[in-house]
Amino acid sequence: SYPIGGRAREIISRDVKLMARSYMRHYPLVVKRVEGAIVEDLNGNLYIDFTAGFGTLPLGGLNPEVVKSIVRQAENLPTYSLRAAYSEEALELVEELSKIAPIRGDLRAIFVNSGSEAMDVALRSMIWHTGKRIFLSFFGAYHGSTLATSSISFNGSWIGCEPSFMKTIHIPYPYCFRCPLGLDLDKCGLSCLTYLKDVTSRIGAQKITSIILEPVQVEAGVIIPPKNYVEKFPKIIRERKIPLILDEVSTAPGRSGRWFAAEHWNLDADLICLGPQLSSGLPLGIVLARESILDLEPETFESTTGGCQLSIASALTTLRVMRDEGLVERAGRLGRNILKRLEDLKDESGVIGDVRGIGLMIGLEFAGDLELGRRLAKILVKECFKSGLIIRRRVSTIILTPPLNIDEKLLERGLEILETKVRELSRSREAI
């Protein structure tokens, strides 16, 4: 039935009157229920979700083990502030993360409510630790929606809103399909790395608070650096003794085929930020760091609601299910199969310019100029939605991040819809 008919239309009309204009919904969808990778709307329509709730539901909706753990926790202690009392569950979660996090030495943690808050705490902690206020970030970065995290992100709408207590210098990320320096991959000599070295030399590495890295820029369109960049980057920052903040809010746990995407880089971080993907979508942000960095004075930072026991219970169960069901390794295997299949589609269709991905993070970018690619990507999202598949878009790139435990028959059906719509788009382009 029509997705915005009946009561759904009433809800959308009320939303227009009550919600801020900054909410730009991607689909005309009022969600009633999410089970696994299936989304049901208010009118009974079913959709295959290739976004995993925009990246927050790594096990899909209503995972039975996660639901049981949340109900059990709710019956005993839904929440009690970590500012007021100790929590064994919080300690258990930090201990579990310490076994897999790529941080050298003793580890400390701070609990907050979101990935944005985690990044905000990371910046404040690094300023406290180093006494410096200059950060290096990357073109295309997305680190959150607070004032400080917006300034280290690369979003034109926030230019001029940077907080006065810090300075951000953006450097090129190795986005080879649309090189920010306008160079060809075969001839560029990794000029983006040369740019990084030049910036640190001109400023003086000793003046830099930290460099902030997303190992994969998921929100920018699943941008994955080439192998030679990944191999050389760690050496550059180690030689210059520049502290490293890793933003793994979109990539961990498990989505890349490793627990942390930084493992593909052979990186050890000074500080790592995690978000609600860890807790299957419940509000959570965690900062993990070397002991010396989080050696903050008492009451320097406290979060009244950060580390809600419901979120912690969900996170512990999410990690256990991933481990017990081998979902990290499965993400790597399924991702390789999807990439090969989409590469064949790229060669066949003529409208796809680039296919990239690692684990269950896949980017499908349209060929041609950016504005044309943007229009084609919008059309594809709309046409897939009409056929029962939810995908998302960033400029000219289609982003696929299905649940790590998606049923393979559902995955197959979703890929068939995607391929059909790309072929239809290719034929319509040829007819113009």
Side-chain angles (χ1 to χ4, degrees):
S1 64
Y2 189 48
I4 57 173
R7 187 158 167 264
R9 180 181 293 277
E10 295 174 16
I11 291 173
I12 292 171
S13 297
R14 286 166 59 199
D15 184 279
V16 170
K17 294 177 182 177
L18 295 171
M19 301 297 281
R21 288 178 59 204
S22 60
Y23 284 93
M24 295 292 291
R25 300 326 197 289
H26 288 245
Y27 323 102
L29 182 66
V30 180
V31 176
K32 177 183 176 183
R33 179 183 174 88
V34 183
E35 185 166 0
I38 295 293
V39 173
E40 180 183 359
D41 74 8
L42 205 59
N43 292 321
N45 299 302
L46 301 179
Y47 304 87
I48 301 170
D49 185 9
F50 268 19
T51 76
F54 255 53
T56 61
L57 299 174
L59 305 180
L62 293 177
N63 179 271
E65 293 300 312
V66 172
V67 170
K68 279 193 291 187
S69 69
I70 292 172
V71 170
R72 188 165 53 244
Q73 188 67 46
E75 290 174 341
N76 292 287
L77 180 66
T79 183
Y80 200 81
S81 178
L82 294 185
R83 290 185 63 187
Y86 299 95
S87 166
E88 184 176 7
E89 294 83 7
L91 299 178
E92 186 180 346
L93 180 55
V94 176
E95 286 167 350
E96 287 297 311
L97 291 170
S98 69
K99 297 173 186 176
I100 56 176
I103 293 177
R104 276 200 300 262
D106 290 338
L107 178 149
R108 295 289 184 272
I110 289 179
F111 284 80
V112 288
N113 299 287
S114 68
S116 294
E117 283 188 43
M119 284 302 305
D120 204 290
V121 172
L123 300 175
R124 292 169 60 182
S125 298
M126 277 296 187
I127 289 172
W128 173 276
H129 175 66
T130 64
K132 305 166 190 174
R133 295 169 183 266
I134 299 176
F135 290 90
L136 297 185
S137 185
F138 288 92
F139 295 178
Y142 176 75
H143 296 295
S145 55
T146 67
L147 185 59
T149 56
S150 294
S151 75
I152 58 170
S153 300
F154 197 73
N155 185 333
S157 64
W158 279 94
I159 290 174
C161 295
E162 296 87 353
S164 59
F165 60 82
M166 56 183 281
K167 170 71 175 174
T168 303
I169 297 173
H170 287 96
I171 56 179
Y173 196 85
Y175 180 8
C176 297
F177 181 66
R178 297 190 190 275
C179 174
L181 299 177
L183 302 173
D184 185 273
L185 176 61
D186 298 327
K187 303 172 184 176
C188 76
L190 290 180
S191 293
C192 45
L193 269 183
T194 303
Y195 194 111
L196 169 60
K197 288 190 281 189
D198 286 350
V199 165
T200 56
S201 296
R202 290 171 186 272
I203 297 172
Q206 74 281 1
K207 296 179 183 177
I208 296 171
T209 316
S210 181
I211 187 167
I212 307 154
L213 174 72
E214 295 167 283
V216 178
Q217 287 191 339
V218 180
E219 298 302 320
V222 192
I223 313 301
I224 300 170
K227 185 179 178 182
N228 50 355
Y229 187 100
V230 168
E231 290 171 347
K232 294 176 181 179
F233 175 86
K235 183 181 178 183
I236 291 171
I237 62 170
R238 277 198 301 266
E239 286 176 348
R240 287 159 175 74
K241 298 180 180 178
I242 301 173
L244 174 63
I245 295 174
L246 282 178
D247 182 348
E248 292 254 10
V249 171
S250 296
T251 49
R255 184 156 288 283
S256 72
R258 305 276 181 88
W259 283 109
F260 288 80
E263 295 175 50
H264 296 281
W265 291 59
N266 192 29
L267 279 172
D268 282 316
D270 297 281
L271 187 150
I272 300 175
C273 293
L274 296 169
Q277 187 166 194
L278 173 63
S279 53
S280 284
L282 292 187
L284 183 65
I286 300 183
V287 177
L288 303 172
R290 290 190 291 106
E291 178 185 9
S292 59
I293 293 173
L294 291 188
D295 186 22
L296 305 173
E297 292 289 343
E299 300 184 347
T300 303
F301 183 85
E302 296 174 316
S303 175
T304 302
T305 56
C308 166
Q309 278 77 7
L310 286 179
S311 299
I312 291 172
S314 183
L316 283 166
T317 306
T318 300
L319 288 174
R320 177 172 59 78
V321 170
M322 284 187 181
R323 187 178 291 110
D324 292 350
E325 298 185 8
L327 296 183
V328 180
E329 297 79 7
R330 183 179 191 260
R333 174 176 61 81
L334 290 181
R336 288 189 292 274
N337 294 340
I338 295 170
L339 276 177
K340 184 176 185 313
R341 186 163 170 169
L342 294 182
E343 283 285 356
D344 292 341
L345 180 65
K346 170 191 162 188
D347 295 340
E348 172 196 338
S349 72
V351 294
I352 302 299
D354 194 33
V355 173
R356 50 188 180 258
I358 187 167
L360 284 177
M361 301 181 284
I362 310 289
L364 191 75
E365 183 158 10
F366 282 94
D369 69 80
L370 199 60
E371 188 52 42
L372 172 62
R374 186 198 306 267
R375 292 201 302 270
L376 293 175
K378 282 184 176 180
I379 292 170
L380 185 62
V381 170
K382 183 178 180 180
E383 292 303 311
C384 284
F385 181 75
K386 288 179 181 177
S387 296
L389 175 66
I390 298 175
I391 55 178
R392 59 175 166 150
R393 175 190 68 86
R394 175 61 179 166
V395 192
S396 58
T397 300
I398 300 299
I399 300 173
L400 308 178
T401 55
L404 306 186
N405 60 346
I406 186 171
D407 180 84
E408 292 197 36
K409 290 181 180 178
L410 273 182
L411 179 62
E412 173 65 26
R413 175 61 185 142
L415 289 172
E416 286 175 355
I417 293 171
L418 179 68
E419 290 167 338
T420 298
K421 295 304 173 183
V422 169
R423 291 186 183 110
E424 289 177 2
L425 204 53
S426 176
R427 287 195 293 272
S428 66
R429 285 278 302 148
E430 290 170 2
I432 296 174

